[in-house]
Amino acid sequence: MLAMQRFNSSASSNHTAAPQGPKMKAVALNPTSAGLTMTLGILFNVVALIILVKAYNRFRRRSKATFLLFASSLVATDLVGHVIPGALVLSRYSLGSNSTSSQQDHADQDASCQFLGGCMVFFGLCPLFLGCAMAAERCLGITKPLLHARLVTTARTKMALTVIWLLALCVALMPNFNLGAYTNQYPWTWCFIRVMENTKLTDVAFAGLFSGLALCSLALAFVCNTISGITLIRARIKNKSCTQRRSARSHDTEMVVQLVGIMVTSCICWSPLLIFGLMSAIRSYSGTLGTDIQTYRQLMVTGVRMATCNQILDPWVYILLRRAILRKIYRITKKQASLKGSMFRSLRGDISSLQNSEKSKMNKI
């Protein structure tokens, strides 16, 4: 998917259909830069996956194992979702650069376009579903630990992962049953739900389903993470737990911090595409898009570029927001706060001494 953002502008000049409204400027980008960025993205996901797999082997019999299994599945999904759509976009760009105008006009009927559109939906929903499931699992583990220990097992976690992948796959396959459609999107190097031209009611319903499921997942993750965070803060304020409970709470804090990082990253990266896609579908179907089509095309390009960044940023959540890293950040912050506090106390002491000296002089006078 990441290669999409590198080649979107380059291929726009190859499309012969005259767009409505002012022409949009196309900027040629170097394919070497796209390949390098894609390689780095794959590298980040692989590093994060190695870290998670090692942690899973270390905590196999602890409550953290379920979270790590979910997290490993999310990073693995991001990795595959980075490679397959990216390779398809590179392939479509290569073909598009050498194709005729008639081939461009029928690009949305190509099997590769349908597959790419399905990948966009599938690999878009999977991380959001997984992030929601992880937040719900941690919320249950923090608020109801005994119930969590009884209900959540490795077998059930794997079953939940299978259900999540199947649900995302079912949504992605809906156009095969005439429930929506995938079309070539401006600037004709990527495919997605039909939301711009010749939009039908089924397309609006499909775009609404995709955006609705994704936004609901983000909202539910926000609620669960908020409940988990408040529970941990209350437990820390009471501070009456034994050493074992404090250790467990430390692991819970690490996981909740990572979940918040995932949630914030997903909200920032996916919200534009979800919102702009649904808005453009509704306006296109109602016939009010008009001359704003170029604006919405640019908004969709911006949205998909931001969505592809999600697969780059997700692994950094696990690389940077580990307990060892958080401890170092905490120690540095505490040291800086202590240094500032000592400087403030020293300054306050000097001021007090100066004031006492002035008072003594006044008394003598």
Side-chain angles (χ1 to χ4, degrees), residues 192 195-196 211 270-283 289 295-304 306:
F192 193 56
V195 294
M196 288 293 178
S211 298
W270 276 101
S271 293
L273 181 62
L274 298 174
I275 295 172
F276 296 149
L278 183 57
M279 288 176 59
S280 60
I282 294 173
R283 291 198 60 182
L289 196 57
T295 301
Y296 274 87
R297 279 177 173 174
Q298 188 60 51
L299 290 174
M300 287 291 289
V301 172
T302 302
V304 77
M306 294 183 66

Side-chain angles (χ1 to χ4, degrees), residues 94-112:
S94 176
L95 293 174
S97 299
N98 302 297
S99 63
T100 63
S101 60
S102 60
Q103 290 173 325
Q104 290 272 357
D105 293 336
H106 294 87
D108 58 348
Q109 300 175 5
D110 194 294
S112 66

Side-chain angles (χ1 to χ4, degrees), residues 1-2 4 38 45 72-89 112-131 161 164-173 182 191-193 206 210 213-214 217-218 262 265-266 269-270 273-274 303-304 306-312 314-315:
M1 291 174 66
L2 185 64
M4 206 175 300
M38 185 175 178
N45 279 280
S72 301
S73 301
L74 190 151
V75 173
T77 303
D78 273 344
L79 177 61
V80 178
H82 189 86
V83 174
I84 296 179
L88 288 172
V89 170
S112 66
C113 181
Q114 301 301 308
F115 183 66
L116 177 57
C119 287
M120 287 287 295
V121 172
F122 176 79
F123 291 113
L125 288 177
C126 277
L128 301 179
F129 287 168
L130 288 170
L161 288 171
I164 288 172
W165 286 324
L166 287 177
L167 177 59
L169 181 62
C170 289
V171 176
L173 291 176
Y182 297 122
C191 297
F192 193 56
I193 303 169
F206 187 33
F210 174 72
L213 288 173
S217 298
L218 291 172
I262 294 170
T265 301
S266 299
C269 293
W270 276 101
L273 181 62
L274 298 174
V304 77
M306 294 183 66
T308 55
C309 291
N310 188 64
Q311 297 162 322
I312 297 296
D314 267 351

Side-chain angles (χ1 to χ4, degrees), residues 8 48 53 80 84 93 96 105 121 132-133 140 142-143 145 162 165 244 257 259 295 318 326 336 354 364:
N8 278 343
V53 169
V80 178
I84 296 179
Y93 172 77
D105 293 336
V121 172
C132 179
L140 180 62
I142 293 171
T143 57
T162 303
W165 286 324
Q244 184 178 0
V257 169
L259 286 174
T295 301
Y318 305 105
L326 293 175
Q336 291 294 329
L354 181 61
K364 290 179 180 180

Side-chain angles (χ1 to χ4, degrees), residues 179-239:
L179 299 173
Y182 297 122
T183 58
N184 206 20
Q185 302 286 331
Y186 177 86
W188 331 122
T189 56
W190 63 292
C191 297
F192 193 56
I193 303 169
R194 182 167 55 195
V195 294
M196 288 293 178
E197 299 169 340
N198 302 320
T199 306
K200 302 177 182 178
L201 182 60
T202 53
D203 299 319
V204 178
F206 187 33
L209 178 64
F210 174 72
S211 298
L213 288 173
L215 292 173
C216 285
S217 298
L218 291 172
L220 184 56
F222 175 79
V223 172
C224 292
N225 289 330
T226 302
I227 294 173
S228 300
I230 292 174
T231 304
L232 288 174
I233 291 172
R234 286 179 176 176
R236 188 171 185 83
I237 291 174
K238 290 180 180 179
N239 200 23

